[in-house]
Amino acid sequence: MGLSRLAALHGVATSFSPSADVTVSVPDGTVTAVLAALGVDAATPEEVARSLAAAESTATSRLLPPTVVAWSGEPLPAALAALQSGTVLTVDPEPADTGTTPPLRMRVLPAPAAVGEAPVTPSWWTEPPPGVHRLTVRTPDRHHATATLVVAPARVPQPPGRTHGFLVQLYSLLSARSWGMGDLADLADLAAWAGRTQGSGFVQVNPLHAAVPGRPTDPSPYRPSSRRFPDPVHLHIESIPEYGHVDEPGRAALDDLRQEAAALREAVLNKGALIDRDAVWELKKQALEIVHEVPLTPGRRAAYCDFLAEQGQALEDHALWCALAEVHGPQWRSWPEGLQDPRSARSGRARAELLGRVDFHCRLAWLTDTQLATAQSAARESGMAVGVVHDLAVGVHPDGADTWAQQDAFAHGMSVGAPPDAFNAHGQDWGLPPWRPDALAASGYAPYRSLLRGLLAHAGALRIDHVMGLFRLWWVPEGRPPTEGTYVSHDAEAMLAVLVLEAYRAGAVVIGEDLGTVEPGVREALARRGVLGTSVLWFERDWEGTGRPLGPERWRADCVATATTHDLPSTAARLTGEHVTLRHRLGLLAGELEQEAAADAADTAEWMACLARLRLLPEGEGDEEAAVRAVHRFLLSTPARMTGVWLPDTVGDRRPQNLPGTWDQYPNWRLPVADAEGHPVTLEEITASPRLHRLMAVMTEGSESRTAPPGARPS
């Protein structure tokens, strides 16, 4: 009982339910290891008793939790409502507002007699403006406490009306000028074309976070070195203003690099080569070092200095990690003594010794930021209602820049994953160290706020991968299988409040990837705050009843409706059953090929019958391209606020970008967009594709005929 009580006080689960009627106990060893990662000693019964006494004493004696959340226009938070009469509250506005907003001072008055059960806001409470403030309370008996006060609007901004757009993995979108993989100029071009000619409202891309350097680099955009800063591999070199002012020797070297880049592009587009991020980065890095020698103009220098000031310590740490990784390799835990601590004297000396390289990496972050801004500007200028939708990965690489710079915020010796369920009896270990909920709360969620602010700076919307992680995550202790992990809870109210506040400041929509097993109440809590969900056609069935495809009128409105994602088969592969053959070839099927293929064919036939019944397949069955159009007519007939078109679907691509459960068996994250015959196609060829235009005619006509759903409002 003592261990269970101690675990509960720290948000650590001692059991979980893989299905509605099954409860599984978590091994005591797992609970003990997770508590240790949270700084709680539970190694022996005596230590459990001591830690429990300390935790209970803290819980009963503290006046305030480390972070308090207040929602604009909603009842007072419980932590403040419980303060005794006569307590004085002082709210100091966040630093950005100092000098413009005076501190607020309030005194708790006796509560009036209760009338009914509905909570009310007391007369003494003056609601601070939205922001992150410092709260101080002093009780009549002279006790005092301080906390971070997060005041958030009730909901995030919503898309203005209903809209459709494209989903694409940026690296896979090569144009005739790309250096072997898609870049930010390609993104800007796609957005400008889609907005102006297709009436699209958004373009959603994969995470553009900075990767861990080295050969081979982990190609997954969902296991980055840093989520706070983008990867300069996405830069379009020729768009950098200083590129045009390189001297003659440098110009000759750049021409040579461009020829090598053209060879990389040619190999991917016409010779069957995979996208080689490492080779692309090697060429771009050399080019950027040449361009870096060109002095900035006064105006450009001023803009760069402003960027450095805005990013502050976070950028300096990131750039120093990049510089040290060039010298000592990216595994920072094996660096020489002293360099493993970003605040040590030796790290301080390294900042001075590597000043040139630190500036180089700071400059790359700035250049990438400016091209991200250009892409969003191109999207909005084209008429897009939302623009670029960026993606936030669920975590970072254990050896990356974020874990080095923010060591106190991460739980060491732990990895995020998923528990065993009906689809995967072994569970999953994603190899991503989790944030410590207690450390986030103690800091007023500073790392999380900084992360969101950076991502939202040039975003019309933000997609959050595995959005359920705002509530809880499955932690797997090092050395244990995923089946021996457990859930660790966040303060979901605080995580949501920070998200809503930062989205409100940026004027951005928020989309949560809420596919798979979702804890009861999570979708409702997200919807209450205006966070859109993700609905994929093949998963939308009446699971509580007949199990048949869910009619379009029964879909939720607050979602992005799609036919597929980067982790799923393309629509053509799904319709033809080719995804089953692929998984069989790679040894990934749970059963026999004939049984799996028959079950898949029956599933597809049921959907086709649904489409025919709704008269969405006027061309009749047997036409794959027509069936793809019918699927998208169905999506448009739902009340979904946003409808996403997987860009490879527009040209009949058969291959998934990522096949979960594989590593070297399948070229995950390295495939260019290809046509139905498997031949890679450029951005220019995609936009000229007759197949694309036939599909987009459906999207355009369907969008024009739809009316805004009830309750829709502009952002």
Side-chain angles (χ1 to χ4, degrees):
M1 288 295 293
L3 183 61
S4 296
R5 171 64 179 158
L6 181 62
L9 287 172
H10 291 88
V12 180
T14 54
S15 65
F16 69 99
S17 298
S19 59
D21 55 347
V22 176
T23 299
V24 178
S25 295
V26 175
D28 286 354
T30 295
V31 176
T32 300
V34 170
L35 286 171
L38 293 170
V40 180
D41 193 343
T44 66
E46 294 76 18
E47 291 299 341
V48 169
R50 277 193 286 270
S51 296
L52 180 57
E56 289 179 331
S57 174
T58 298
T60 57
S61 63
R62 70 185 183 189
L63 290 173
L64 296 172
T67 297
V68 177
V69 170
W71 296 97
S72 296
E74 297 187 10
L76 197 64
L80 301 186
L83 294 172
Q84 68 183 102
S85 177
T87 298
V88 175
L89 292 78
T90 302
V91 178
D92 290 298
E94 56 186 330
D97 292 336
T98 299
T100 59
T101 304
L104 291 173
R105 287 186 174 83
M106 295 163 267
R107 183 183 296 274
V108 179
L109 299 176
V115 179
E117 298 182 358
V120 296
T121 300
S123 60
W124 57 263
W125 171 250
T126 301
E127 184 175 281
V132 181
H133 313 296
R134 195 65 182 163
L135 172 64
T136 304
V137 300
R138 295 184 182 277
T139 66
D141 53 2
R142 298 184 179 180
H143 286 89
H144 77 279
T146 59
T148 300
L149 174 64
V150 179
V151 182
R155 289 167 61 84
V156 300
Q158 299 295 289
R162 301 172 68 188
T163 186
H164 69 268
F166 290 108
L167 320 176
V168 65
Q169 300 283 289
L170 181 57
Y171 59 82
S172 71
L173 182 67
L174 282 73
S175 69
R177 62 184 182 181
S178 302
W179 285 36
M181 62 182 282
D183 58 39
L184 290 171
D186 297 325
L187 173 59
D189 208 34
L190 173 66
W193 168 82
R196 294 179 188 280
T197 70
Q198 305 303 313
S200 300
F202 65 93
V203 174
Q204 178 180 306
V205 295
N206 54 286
L208 304 183
H209 310 319
V212 177
R215 281 181 173 268
T217 298
D218 188 335
S220 172
Y222 291 92
R223 203 162 181 251
S225 169
S226 173
R227 295 188 294 174
R228 176 62 186 82
F229 295 100
D231 198 315
V233 76
H234 300 112
L235 282 168
H236 181 244
I237 302 299
E238 294 90 335
S239 294
I240 300 171
E242 288 71 38
Y243 179 89
H245 299 281
V246 172
D247 61 19
E248 282 302 319
R251 175 64 60 187
L254 286 175
D255 289 343
D256 290 342
L257 292 171
R258 288 186 64 186
Q259 289 184 13
E260 292 183 60
L264 282 180
R265 181 177 64 244
E266 174 68 15
V268 171
L269 293 175
N270 295 309
K271 298 181 180 179
L274 299 175
I275 292 170
D276 188 341
R277 182 200 174 284
D278 294 332
V280 172
W281 174 236
E282 184 59 37
L283 296 180
K284 288 192 176 183
K285 185 178 180 181
Q286 293 179 52
L288 289 164
E289 286 172 339
I290 295 170
V291 172
H292 186 65
E293 296 299 317
V294 178
L296 297 174
T297 64
R300 294 268 293 164
R301 169 62 62 180
Y304 177 45
C305 289
D306 282 350
F307 179 78
L308 294 176
E310 290 166 2
Q311 304 304 318
Q313 187 71 56
L315 176 57
E316 187 178 336
D317 287 343
H318 177 74
L320 177 58
W321 183 91
C322 292
L324 288 169
E326 290 177 334
V327 178
H328 302 290
Q331 288 78 34
W332 61 264
R333 290 177 178 83
S334 64
W335 287 354
E337 186 176 354
L339 293 180
Q340 298 176 22
D341 178 3
R343 303 291 169 256
S344 71
R346 183 163 185 181
S347 290
R349 291 194 297 273
R351 291 174 196 269
E353 294 165 358
L354 299 171
L355 185 60
R357 296 308 295 174
V358 171
D359 179 68
F360 175 69
H361 291 290
C362 285
R363 182 84 67 88
L364 299 192
W366 173 59
L367 293 173
T368 312
D369 183 80
T370 60
Q371 291 195 7
L372 285 168
T374 299
Q376 174 63 358
S377 294
R380 296 308 295 267
E381 289 169 5
S382 75
M384 284 191 168
V386 176
V388 179
V389 181
H390 286 288
D391 198 352
L392 172 61
V394 71
V396 294
H397 196 285
D399 293 326
D402 282 1
T403 58
W404 177 75
Q406 302 173 358
Q407 293 177 41
D408 292 343
F410 288 92
H412 301 289
M414 295 289 142
S415 175
V416 170
D421 56 27
F423 300 99
N424 190 331
H426 301 292
Q428 300 175 54
D429 184 344
W430 302 333
L432 308 170
W435 266 335
R436 286 181 53 164
D438 59 329
L440 286 182
S443 71
Y445 293 84
Y448 179 46
R449 287 188 279 124
S450 174
L451 168 62
L452 291 174
R453 197 165 300 168
L455 287 168
L456 289 165
H458 308 302
L462 179 65
R463 173 190 181 272
I464 300 180
D465 191 45
H466 193 71
V467 72
M468 297 81 80
L470 299 180
F471 295 76
R472 65 178 186 177
L473 283 169
W474 184 257
W475 288 23
V476 181
E478 185 177 350
R480 291 179 179 267
T483 52
E484 295 183 17
T486 190
Y487 280 113
V488 178
S489 296
H490 280 283
D491 181 344
E493 196 80 349
M495 296 290 280
L496 276 176
V498 171
L499 173 63
V500 172
L501 174 63
E502 294 301 335
Y504 161 78
R505 286 170 157 170
V509 175
V510 178
I511 303 159
E513 185 272 298
D514 57 351
L515 302 175
T517 303
V518 182
E519 184 183 10
V522 166
R523 286 196 175 102
E524 293 77 7
L526 293 169
R528 182 184 178 194
R529 300 304 171 194
V531 177
L532 304 184
T534 301
S535 293
V536 178
L537 180 130
W538 311 101
F539 300 154
E540 292 296 315
R541 288 176 170 269
D542 181 12
W543 298 113
E544 302 299 324
T546 64
R548 294 176 180 170
L550 202 63
E553 74 284 353
R554 296 179 60 190
W555 282 43
R556 55 183 170 172
D558 297 329
C559 75
V560 177
T562 70
T564 189
T565 74
H566 58 266
D567 282 334
L568 296 173
S570 69
T571 304
R574 173 80 68 171
L575 292 169
T576 59
E578 290 182 29
H579 69 110
V580 178
T581 306
L582 172 62
R583 292 180 64 81
H584 170 69
R585 189 165 68 247
L586 298 175
L588 299 175
L589 290 184
E592 295 296 325
L593 173 61
E594 293 77 12
Q595 295 174 335
E596 296 280 351
D600 180 73
D603 180 89
T604 301
E606 197 167 27
W607 274 106
M608 290 299 99
C610 175
L611 298 177
R613 186 169 59 253
L614 294 171
R615 300 181 181 179
L616 300 175
L617 191 56
E619 300 91 343
E621 296 187 23
D623 183 334
E624 172 204 307
E625 186 185 338
V628 172
R629 292 197 296 271
V631 163
H632 288 83
R633 289 191 187 100
F634 181 97
L635 295 176
L636 287 172
S637 69
T638 73
R641 292 178 183 271
M642 299 172 68
T643 303
V645 179
W646 179 236
L647 189 64
D649 273 349
T650 66
V651 289
D653 200 344
R654 297 297 206 260
R655 308 159 308 167
Q657 281 295 313
N658 178 51
L659 192 58
T662 63
W663 174 242
D664 56 0
Q665 307 99 312
Y666 186 81
N668 296 321
W669 317 114
R670 289 171 286 174
L671 293 171
V673 178
D675 61 20
E677 286 70 46
H679 186 275
V681 286
T682 64
L683 170 60
E684 293 84 356
E685 291 168 331
I686 293 171
T687 58
S689 164
R691 179 166 178 158
L692 175 143
H693 285 278
R694 287 190 290 269
L695 175 57
M696 294 312 295
V698 168
M699 301 304 297
T700 303
E701 293 167 7
S703 295
E704 290 174 350
S705 66
R706 297 194 307 178
T707 58
R713 59 183 178 84
S715 59

